[in-house]
Amino acid sequence: MAIAPTPPTGRPATDVGRLLASCPDRRGIVSALSTALAETGANIIRSDQHSTNPEGGDFFLRMEFHLDALAERRGVLEQRLEHVGRELDLDWRLTSADTRKRVAIFASRYDHCLLDLLWRWRTGELDMDLVGVVSNHLDRADDVAFFDVPYHHVAVTHETKQDAEQAQLDLLEGIDLVVLARYMQIFSGDFLRRVGAPVINIHHSFLPAFAGADPYTRAYERGVKLIGATAHYATEDLDEGPIIEQDTHRVSHADSPDELTRIGRDLERLVLARAVRWHLDDRVIVHGNRTIVF
Amino acid sequence: MAIAPTPPTGRPATDVGRLLASCPDRRGIVSALSTALAETGANIIRSDQHSTNPEGGDFFLRMEFHLDALAERRGVLEQRLEHVGRELDLDWRLTSADTRKRVAIFASRYDHCLLDLLWRWRTGELDMDLVGVVSNHLDRADDVAFFDVPYHHVAVTHETKQDAEQAQLDLLEGIDLVVLARYMQIFSGDFLRRVGAPVINIHHSFLPAFAGADPYTRAYERGVKLIGATAHYATEDLDEGPIIEQDTHRVSHADSPDELTRIGRDLERLVLARAVRWHLDDRVIVHGNRTIVF
Amino acid sequence: MAIAPTPPTGRPATDVGRLLASCPDRRGIVSALSTALAETGANIIRSDQHSTNPEGGDFFLRMEFHLDALAERRGVLEQRLEHVGRELDLDWRLTSADTRKRVAIFASRYDHCLLDLLWRWRTGELDMDLVGVVSNHLDRADDVAFFDVPYHHVAVTHETKQDAEQAQLDLLEGIDLVVLARYMQIFSGDFLRRVGAPVINIHHSFLPAFAGADPYTRAYERGVKLIGATAHYATEDLDEGPIIEQDTHRVSHADSPDELTRIGRDLERLVLARAVRWHLDDRVIVHGNRTIVF
Amino acid sequence: MAIAPTPPTGRPATDVGRLLASCPDRRGIVSALSTALAETGANIIRSDQHSTNPEGGDFFLRMEFHLDALAERRGVLEQRLEHVGRELDLDWRLTSADTRKRVAIFASRYDHCLLDLLWRWRTGELDMDLVGVVSNHLDRADDVAFFDVPYHHVAVTHETKQDAEQAQLDLLEGIDLVVLARYMQIFSGDFLRRVGAPVINIHHSFLPAFAGADPYTRAYERGVKLIGATAHYATEDLDEGPIIEQDTHRVSHADSPDELTRIGRDLERLVLARAVRWHLDDRVIVHGNRTIVF
């Protein structure tokens, strides 16, 4: 895919790095990592950590730091982290805030999540290279063109699904993130294994309630007093992947399924946008089927 | 049961009546009912209505009105409503706001919902005659005694369940409402059929998610980002009854099941209290497995 | 102004009327009005009422009804209401749901509220004839053109303000509602008196906190833990008009004024959209400096 | 004051310490402090930091750690911190989680915040030594006695205020925290200077809106669509102190000032309890007129 020109309004983040690390919890992890950063000349801007259990549990850490000439000194820092990492049995990765992730959005006919993401990208809220939009319909082509983003139409039918997924995979070469903005097709396990990037989906219910089809109708029938939306990483088990973000909104007996759909659109937009933003900022760590959001 | 002395702070509502009515939707219902009220001398204070479908659906109405000397003129009003009701195929009932409902609370060991209801009753927020508290434990006897409310200990074991339920039914003679304030026993279908009054339960999850046992642990394991509580009418199908009220609160990966339990206590207290309050004010109508809350 | 073509997705509401009425509270109002509707053949779909005080207060009512061939029978209904109204000292108006209000949006440089309204109009959530967008800048011309809505650039400087307001008034001939979507100019009292239509403004704070300039910076400096947005009718007293809708969102010490601005954009979009929607549906009644939202 | 017996349900926190530190932001702070902890044998359980500006701003840090035999090794740790602190120009303090703060609650006639705090203390949610309740009325004596907490009646009139404050100060000897649970008297600046402990107040509005008297009435008159509550540190400037926590709840035109008062009680209870809990856990740092809540 050709990359859409990133708007100039994105947050500048030169020389800002992010260290994500996990290991068995033990004494001295923060000391070792913060010392490696300090010795390289970095100033920690933000630090978050979580331990599932200080006694024998798993430890997770995210440090955001400023380091002058990060690009040049990255090698030195990585050597130090490599050294520290061996001692701590550390699983770590280092990202640079100014290396934007390459993102593809999948959409079908609904416009609300798609337009919202396009607007947030244009306004600089989502710091990403938007590689393009893939859709099984033509309906949204003009909307996407207005934002100067490439639009790829890949029709999907029951018969052509396998070929369609191959065509999609070809388009996704080198991608860092796939966002499903109410994309109404279910990917095969094969696709998810081969895509080589996390896939964020928005489901229009408060999972695990109303997984599967028609959640608004089922919410109406069950008579719930709040509806919700859930952004999660897509896995082969539909609507069962690690949850990144959720929110709910009050409804009443007077709200028909159509009204729930209308109210839910706002929830879906907000919840998906937050999840994508946090992922882009390397704030989400998957641990089993749960997420740690720093 | 002996009735606990109702605190003097309860909201006075002399000469305030409430008309609840339902019928097949058609033209002229509001006109007929409001005219019957006006001709009897009543002034409508508040009116709510809901139609599942103006074309052939079900119509529901609640009118709160002031009528001087309501007790004396109630007979006249009922005659007029009887007359109107026949024409409209109306299912209706009339309550007087100053006829307090007789309520029994069931509790086990947890104190949070029970104490909250006792406090709200004492402060006048819950306009009811609190007939007593029934518990399968002795733990809460002192708390209840402090509020000068009768406490009835009915032990329940697997073997004695049938006898225990009979003892409970004997205590509930003439009761208008049973509130389960985290009562940790499951009633038999026989009990629910014979109790002769609605039973409101609080479940510590956002139903239909995490119905059944240990919802906070399961919420933790699923990694949800909000927890919830649900007040509903108890039916034989556990956690499947009509929902009256729900609410949610944000949590994070850092919250252990114990933290979820702590946060959830506040949700449970608020949600149960609202549901009970609305029921006492005749604001809840059950329609199939859904509720209309006016 | 030329009218932009209304999208076909708007909610159909043929033969649906809305009666708004207010008068001194007394007995028999609902009866009289619902009987006038029933006698004309109308079926009340939804009814809301409010009394500031059943004893000598002010009474407000909104009835939404279905009446076959409303356009033809409207005259008959109005005669009946006229008759009833005289007896009750009634202030009333009747609107037809399929008579869309003519709306003009004012914007400056910010795109978030404007784009959100345009999208909701396109999707049919806002049932209005969008007559055009007026702006003191050219920045948003392409956005508005994409939605096929007329764009009117009226530059405003301290010196030209009077002429600019006259030019704006000329554009607003026959308008039913003006929406200020973060329009960064203050209207003169003369303009507000002459515009002849309600003006809805969005203020980026939880009024009455942080009225006036730079609310996000001041919220940061005061260290509040929630920020808000307020939609209100514009009056000569800046940020003092009747409030239609408000909402808040949690923030923390870590959120800079820029972050508050970002979080606030979502609040502003949602709050303004709800207020406009409710106004379009004739659900908002102004009473002194407060609103009744049915 | 005699100390009330702390309930046995309080969270155990043996050998858990908390380090709070602030200094001008610079490189190496986290490294120096975490190394001092690691070298003493501590395992960091939780770490939070905030910088007002990485370039020349102020840096704040809170580290919660486990250290076997903390009481014995505290001296060693303090020496190391002393050493590090000099280099970094560090303002720091060390607390031990099992050293409960000595807390006094002030109340007047309202019971809601007082009872809620007493219940949370009894249930172990508030990890504190509750030294007693001071009140200018006798109304709550029985409630407090039920929880086996000392009750001190200090009447306050305009004439006796100075003497009353002296009597209160005598009672507060050695206290760590004063909580005003809707205490309806205003302290003199002299009292606040001499009390020698932070004072947390709950104000029944969303500050800075409706500071001062009668916020619910004024909220009603202004027609706001949400009401709020604010917990803050008391300062001489009434309702102007650093905000610890706030929350809001939706209301409508139909809610009278009495209804707002009722709804607000729940907000006040929750907001005050959160603020007290966070303070007890050393999670709140005051910086100018703002708070950092870790």
Side-chain angles (χ1 to χ4, degrees):
Chain A
M1 283 189 188
I3 295 178
T6 291
T9 42
R11 291 165 297 158
T14 313
D15 293 340
V16 170
R18 298 162 193 152
L19 171 63
L20 286 102
S22 63
C23 62
D25 202 355
R26 43 158 285 183
R27 192 164 13 112
I29 308 169
V30 178
S31 168
L33 292 172
S34 58
T35 301
L37 286 166
E39 286 176 358
T40 319
N43 185 17
I44 299 172
I45 298 170
R46 179 176 165 169
S47 174
D48 293 280
Q49 61 175 77
H50 174 62
S51 174
T52 59
N53 186 350
E55 313 282 326
D58 297 306
F59 177 88
F60 303 88
L61 174 142
R62 178 187 186 273
M63 282 179 168
E64 195 167 304
F65 58 89
H66 184 269
L67 175 59
D68 279 333
L70 170 59
E72 290 169 39
R73 294 154 92 181
R74 184 174 177 139
V76 176
L77 177 56
E78 288 183 334
Q79 277 175 22
R80 283 204 172 90
L81 291 170
E82 198 67 52
H83 182 74
V84 167
R86 267 194 301 274
E87 278 175 54
L88 296 171
D89 196 12
L90 199 71
D91 189 12
W92 64 276
R93 65 193 167 93
L94 194 66
T95 67
S96 175
D98 61 6
T99 304
R100 287 201 173 94
K101 290 185 179 56
R102 295 167 50 93
V103 179
I105 300 175
F106 277 59
S108 291
R109 285 197 159 112
Y110 293 123
D111 61 358
H112 55 292
C113 286
L114 174 62
L115 277 183
D116 195 64
L117 291 172
L118 288 167
W119 166 71
R120 289 183 201 270
W121 166 74
R122 182 178 90 170
T123 209
E125 278 192 19
L126 297 177
D127 195 26
M128 62 186 183
D129 281 337
L130 187 46
V131 169
V133 172
V134 181
S135 179
N136 56 332
H137 290 282
L138 289 164
D139 306 51
R140 302 273 68 88
D142 287 352
D143 287 349
V144 174
F146 177 67
F147 286 89
D148 284 329
V149 171
Y151 191 80
H152 304 273
H153 178 232
V154 181
V156 185
T157 65
H158 188 68
E159 290 72 29
T160 64
K161 181 160 181 170
Q162 205 173 339
D163 290 349
E165 289 198 344
Q166 184 56 56
Q168 291 165 340
L169 286 169
D170 293 345
L171 286 166
L172 298 177
E173 190 78 32
I175 216 78
D176 296 308
L177 176 69
V178 174
V179 179
L180 309 183
R182 295 296 311 276
Y183 181 63
M184 305 300 277
Q185 295 287 327
I186 296 168
F187 289 120
S188 69
D190 183 59
F191 177 94
L192 289 170
R193 276 185 299 274
R194 290 171 62 201
V195 67
V199 177
I200 295 179
N201 184 42
I202 180 76
H203 183 75
H204 41 314
S205 83
F206 180 78
L207 289 175
F210 310 121
D214 285 329
Y216 291 130
T217 303
R218 287 154 63 208
Y220 174 83
E221 285 165 358
R222 181 61 187 92
V224 293
K225 300 303 183 185
L226 302 165
I227 57 168
T230 303
H232 63 95
Y233 290 112
T235 58
E236 274 195 69
D237 298 314
L238 197 67
D239 303 330
E240 296 287 333
I243 293 170
I244 307 169
E245 170 64 340
Q246 303 187 288
D247 217 337
T248 54
H249 198 279
R250 187 158 286 274
V251 297
S252 87
H253 62 268
D255 294 311
S256 64
D258 280 355
E259 285 293 288
L260 301 189
T261 302
R262 178 182 63 76
I263 294 166
R265 280 198 291 261
D266 283 330
L267 277 175
E268 296 167 34
R269 296 199 296 169
L270 294 171
V271 167
L272 179 59
R274 281 186 219 138
V276 171
R277 180 179 166 86
W278 296 341
H279 180 94
L280 293 175
D281 290 351
D282 296 311
R283 291 176 53 190
V284 188
I285 298 176
V286 174
H287 180 230
N289 203 42
R290 307 175 76 236
T291 63
I292 294 151
V293 180
F294 282 138
Chain B
M1 282 189 187
I3 296 178
T6 291
T9 41
R11 289 165 299 157
T14 312
D15 292 340
V16 170
R18 299 162 192 152
L19 171 63
L20 285 101
S22 64
C23 63
D25 201 356
R26 45 158 286 184
R27 193 164 11 113
I29 307 169
V30 178
S31 168
L33 291 171
S34 58
T35 301
L37 285 167
E39 286 176 358
T40 319
N43 184 17
I44 299 172
I45 298 169
R46 179 174 164 171
S47 174
D48 293 280
Q49 61 176 78
H50 173 62
S51 174
T52 59
N53 187 349
E55 312 283 325
D58 297 306
F59 178 87
F60 302 89
L61 173 140
R62 178 186 185 275
M63 282 180 168
E64 195 168 305
F65 58 89
H66 184 270
L67 174 58
D68 279 332
L70 171 58
E72 290 168 39
R73 293 153 93 181
R74 185 174 176 139
V76 177
L77 177 56
E78 288 183 333
Q79 278 176 20
R80 282 202 172 91
L81 292 170
E82 200 66 53
H83 182 74
V84 167
R86 268 194 300 273
E87 278 176 54
L88 295 171
D89 196 12
L90 200 70
D91 189 12
W92 64 275
R93 65 192 166 94
L94 193 66
T95 67
S96 175
D98 60 5
T99 304
R100 287 198 174 96
K101 290 185 179 56
R102 295 166 51 92
V103 179
I105 301 176
F106 276 60
S108 292
R109 286 197 160 111
Y110 293 124
D111 62 357
H112 56 291
C113 287
L114 175 62
L115 278 184
D116 194 65
L117 291 173
L118 287 168
W119 167 70
R120 288 183 201 271
W121 166 73
R122 183 177 90 171
T123 210
E125 279 193 20
L126 297 177
D127 196 26
M128 62 187 183
D129 282 336
L130 186 48
V131 170
V133 171
V134 180
S135 178
N136 56 332
H137 290 282
L138 289 164
D139 306 52
R140 301 273 69 87
D142 287 353
D143 286 349
V144 174
F146 177 66
F147 286 89
D148 285 328
V149 171
Y151 191 80
H152 303 272
H153 177 233
V154 181
V156 185
T157 64
H158 188 68
E159 290 72 29
T160 64
K161 182 161 180 170
Q162 205 173 339
D163 290 348
E165 290 197 342
Q166 184 56 56
Q168 291 165 341
L169 287 170
D170 292 344
L171 287 166
L172 298 177
E173 190 77 31
I175 216 77
D176 297 308
L177 175 68
V178 175
V179 179
L180 308 182
R182 294 297 309 276
Y183 182 64
M184 305 300 278
Q185 296 286 326
I186 296 169
F187 289 119
S188 68
D190 182 60
F191 178 94
L192 290 170
R193 277 185 298 275
R194 291 171 61 199
V195 67
V199 176
I200 296 179
N201 184 43
I202 179 76
H203 183 74
H204 41 314
S205 83
F206 180 81
L207 289 176
F210 310 122
D214 285 329
Y216 291 129
T217 302
R218 288 153 63 208
Y220 174 82
E221 285 164 359
R222 182 61 187 92
V224 293
K225 301 302 184 186
L226 302 165
I227 57 168
T230 304
H232 63 95
Y233 290 112
T235 59
E236 273 195 70
D237 299 315
L238 197 66
D239 303 329
E240 296 287 332
I243 293 170
I244 306 169
E245 171 62 342
Q246 304 185 286
D247 216 336
T248 54
H249 198 277
R250 186 158 287 273
V251 297
S252 88
H253 62 268
D255 294 312
S256 64
D258 279 354
E259 285 293 288
L260 301 188
T261 301
R262 179 183 62 76
I263 295 166
R265 279 198 292 262
D266 282 331
L267 278 175
E268 296 166 35
R269 295 199 296 169
L270 295 170
V271 167
L272 179 60
R274 281 185 219 137
V276 171
R277 182 179 164 85
W278 297 341
H279 180 93
L280 293 175
D281 290 350
D282 296 311
R283 292 175 53 189
V284 188
I285 298 175
V286 175
H287 181 230
N289 203 40
R290 307 175 76 238
T291 63
I292 294 151
V293 180
F294 282 138
Chain C
M1 282 189 186
I3 296 178
T6 291
T9 43
R11 290 165 297 157
T14 313
D15 292 339
V16 170
R18 298 164 193 150
L19 170 63
L20 285 101
S22 64
C23 63
D25 201 356
R26 44 157 285 184
R27 193 161 16 109
I29 308 169
V30 178
S31 168
L33 292 171
S34 57
T35 301
L37 285 166
E39 287 176 358
T40 319
N43 185 16
I44 299 172
I45 299 170
R46 179 175 165 170
S47 174
D48 293 279
Q49 61 175 78
H50 174 62
S51 173
T52 59
N53 186 349
E55 313 283 326
D58 297 306
F59 177 88
F60 303 89
L61 174 142
R62 178 187 186 273
M63 281 179 169
E64 195 166 306
F65 58 89
H66 183 270
L67 175 58
D68 279 333
L70 171 58
E72 290 168 40
R73 293 153 92 181
R74 184 176 177 135
V76 177
L77 177 56
E78 287 183 334
Q79 276 175 21
R80 283 203 172 92
L81 291 170
E82 198 68 51
H83 182 74
V84 167
R86 265 194 302 273
E87 278 176 55
L88 296 170
D89 196 11
L90 200 72
D91 189 12
W92 64 276
R93 66 194 165 91
L94 194 67
T95 67
S96 175
D98 61 4
T99 304
R100 288 201 173 94
K101 289 185 179 55
R102 296 167 50 94
V103 179
I105 300 176
F106 276 59
S108 291
R109 286 197 160 113
Y110 293 123
D111 60 358
H112 56 291
C113 286
L114 175 62
L115 277 184
D116 194 65
L117 292 173
L118 289 167
W119 167 70
R120 288 183 201 270
W121 166 74
R122 183 177 90 171
T123 209
E125 278 192 20
L126 297 178
D127 195 26
M128 61 185 183
D129 282 336
L130 187 47
V131 169
V133 172
V134 180
S135 179
N136 56 332
H137 291 281
L138 289 164
D139 306 52
R140 302 272 67 88
D142 288 352
D143 286 349
V144 174
F146 178 67
F147 287 89
D148 285 328
V149 171
Y151 192 79
H152 303 272
H153 178 232
V154 181
V156 185
T157 64
H158 188 67
E159 289 73 28
T160 64
K161 181 161 181 170
Q162 205 174 338
D163 290 349
E165 288 198 342
Q166 184 55 57
Q168 290 165 341
L169 286 170
D170 292 346
L171 285 166
L172 297 177
E173 189 78 31
I175 215 78
D176 297 307
L177 175 69
V178 174
V179 179
L180 308 183
R182 295 295 310 276
Y183 182 64
M184 305 300 278
Q185 296 286 328
I186 296 168
F187 289 119
S188 69
D190 182 59
F191 178 94
L192 289 170
R193 277 186 298 274
R194 290 171 61 199
V195 67
V199 176
I200 295 179
N201 184 43
I202 180 76
H203 184 74
H204 41 315
S205 82
F206 180 80
L207 289 176
F210 310 121
D214 286 329
Y216 291 130
T217 303
R218 287 154 63 209
Y220 174 83
E221 285 165 357
R222 182 61 187 92
V224 292
K225 300 301 183 186
L226 301 165
I227 58 168
T230 304
H232 63 95
Y233 289 112
T235 58
E236 273 196 68
D237 300 314
L238 197 65
D239 303 329
E240 297 286 334
I243 293 170
I244 307 169
E245 170 64 340
Q246 303 186 287
D247 217 337
T248 54
H249 199 277
R250 188 158 285 273
V251 297
S252 87
H253 62 268
D255 293 312
S256 64
D258 280 355
E259 286 292 290
L260 301 189
T261 301
R262 178 182 64 76
I263 295 166
R265 280 198 291 262
D266 283 330
L267 277 176
E268 296 167 33
R269 296 197 297 168
L270 294 170
V271 167
L272 179 59
R274 281 185 220 139
V276 170
R277 181 178 164 86
W278 296 341
H279 180 94
L280 293 175
D281 290 350
D282 296 310
R283 291 176 52 190
V284 188
I285 298 175
V286 175
H287 180 231
N289 203 42
R290 307 175 77 238
T291 63
I292 294 151
V293 180
F294 281 138
Chain D
M1 282 190 188
I3 296 177
T6 292
T9 42
R11 291 165 298 159
T14 313
D15 292 340
V16 170
R18 299 163 192 150
L19 171 63
L20 286 102
S22 63
C23 62
D25 202 355
R26 44 159 285 183
R27 192 164 12 113
I29 307 169
V30 178
S31 168
L33 291 172
S34 57
T35 301
L37 285 167
E39 287 177 357
T40 318
N43 185 17
I44 298 172
I45 298 169
R46 179 174 164 171
S47 174
D48 293 280
Q49 61 176 76
H50 174 62
S51 174
T52 58
N53 187 348
E55 313 281 327
D58 297 306
F59 178 87
F60 303 89
L61 173 141
R62 179 187 185 274
M63 282 179 169
E64 195 167 304
F65 58 89
H66 184 270
L67 175 58
D68 279 332
L70 171 59
E72 290 167 39
R73 292 153 94 182
R74 185 174 177 139
V76 177
L77 177 56
E78 289 183 334
Q79 277 176 21
R80 282 204 171 90
L81 292 170
E82 198 67 52
H83 182 74
V84 167
R86 267 194 301 273
E87 278 176 53
L88 296 171
D89 197 11
L90 199 71
D91 190 12
W92 64 276
R93 65 192 166 94
L94 193 67
T95 66
S96 174
D98 60 5
T99 303
R100 288 199 172 95
K101 289 185 179 56
R102 295 166 51 92
V103 179
I105 301 176
F106 277 58
S108 291
R109 284 197 161 114
Y110 293 124
D111 62 358
H112 56 292
C113 287
L114 175 62
L115 278 183
D116 194 65
L117 292 172
L118 287 167
W119 167 71
R120 289 183 201 270
W121 166 74
R122 182 177 91 171
T123 210
E125 279 193 20
L126 297 177
D127 195 26
M128 62 186 183
D129 282 336
L130 186 47
V131 170
V133 171
V134 181
S135 178
N136 56 331
H137 291 281
L138 288 164
D139 307 52
R140 302 273 67 87
D142 288 351
D143 287 349
V144 174
F146 178 67
F147 286 89
D148 284 329
V149 170
Y151 191 78
H152 304 272
H153 177 233
V154 181
V156 185
T157 64
H158 188 67
E159 289 72 30
T160 65
K161 180 160 181 172
Q162 205 173 340
D163 290 348
E165 290 198 342
Q166 184 56 56
Q168 291 165 340
L169 287 169
D170 293 345
L171 286 167
L172 298 177
E173 190 78 32
I175 216 78
D176 296 308
L177 175 68
V178 175
V179 179
L180 308 182
R182 294 297 309 276
Y183 182 63
M184 306 300 278
Q185 296 286 326
I186 297 168
F187 289 119
S188 69
D190 183 59
F191 178 95
L192 290 170
R193 277 186 298 274
R194 290 172 61 201
V195 67
V199 176
I200 296 180
N201 184 43
I202 179 76
H203 184 74
H204 40 313
S205 82
F206 181 77
L207 289 175
F210 310 121
D214 285 329
Y216 291 129
T217 303
R218 287 153 64 209
Y220 174 83
E221 285 164 359
R222 182 60 188 90
V224 292
K225 301 302 184 186
L226 302 165
I227 58 168
T230 304
H232 63 95
Y233 290 111
T235 59
E236 272 196 70
D237 300 314
L238 197 65
D239 303 330
E240 296 287 333
I243 293 169
I244 306 169
E245 171 62 341
Q246 303 186 287
D247 217 336
T248 54
H249 198 278
R250 186 158 288 273
V251 298
S252 87
H253 62 267
D255 294 311
S256 64
D258 280 354
E259 285 292 289
L260 301 188
T261 302
R262 179 182 62 77
I263 295 166
R265 279 198 291 261
D266 282 331
L267 277 175
E268 296 166 35
R269 296 198 296 169
L270 294 171
V271 167
L272 179 59
R274 280 186 219 138
V276 170
R277 182 180 164 85
W278 297 341
H279 180 93
L280 293 174
D281 290 350
D282 296 311
R283 291 176 53 190
V284 188
I285 298 175
V286 174
H287 181 230
N289 203 41
R290 308 174 76 236
T291 63
I292 293 151
V293 180
F294 282 137

